[in-house]
Amino acid sequence: SVLGALPGTVEAWLALRGLRTLHLRIERASANAAELARRLGGHTAVSTVHYPGLGAMVSVELHGAPQAAELVCESTDLWVHATSLGGVESSLERRRRWSGESEAVPETLLRLSVGVEDVEDLWDDIDQALPHG
């Protein structure tokens, strides 16, 4: 291409290499998300779980003040506190911490992008960060 809109050979190879295991990563992240959504639904700190039943995205609303949700984000070791979606590592964030976020988004909503780590490790980390009544 005259404008350089073609990927380089290394970038093309990396994309192909990633595509070979994409289905495995999606299966694992989706299974982890389903299990975490189930467990979070029974947690005393959680008022609502938003999970469509597939995929690796789970959102939860916590009981209490927004500071409690922010503290959860700051108290995890394995979960990365970041605005990041679809990685192999799990991340979480409180959406309303950003100015300009819609007021329709609950103050205590945590968005979880579930990765491929061991589900027990993910659960242990988020469970220890959640308030216990």
Side-chain angles (χ1 to χ4, degrees):
S1 169
V2 176
L3 301 176
L6 296 174
T9 54
V10 172
E11 290 79 9
W13 175 77
L14 287 170
L16 179 60
R17 184 179 72 166
L19 284 173
R20 290 179 180 144
T21 60
L22 179 63
H23 68 286
L24 298 172
R25 290 180 280 129
I26 289 172
E27 285 175 15
R28 175 67 174 261
S30 296
N32 284 351
E35 179 60 20
L36 292 171
R38 185 188 68 75
R39 292 182 188 189
L40 288 164
H43 199 286
T44 58
V46 176
S47 64
T48 307
V49 174
H50 303 278
Y51 181 64
L54 63 126
M57 295 299 302
V58 178
S59 293
V60 296
E61 294 176 50
L62 303 182
H63 295 291
Q67 294 79 9
E70 197 64 38
L71 184 59
V72 170
C73 293
E74 296 168 5
S75 300
T76 59
D77 293 317
L78 183 58
W79 292 82
V80 178
H81 186 195
T83 303
S84 179
L85 304 174
V88 294
E89 65 285 331
S90 296
S91 63
L92 78 166
E93 72 165 342
R94 187 176 75 87
R95 290 298 305 163
R96 283 291 295 276
R97 72 184 171 130
W98 301 108
S99 62
E101 185 68 48
S102 170
E103 290 186 20
V105 175
E107 288 273 2
T108 62
L109 182 107
L110 296 177
R111 182 176 72 176
L112 313 175
S113 177
V114 182
V116 300
E117 303 94 341
D118 182 80
V119 72
E120 295 303 327
D121 292 342
L122 290 171
W123 174 250
D124 289 346
D125 192 32
I126 200 157
D127 182 48
Q128 66 79 29
L130 288 166
H132 289 268

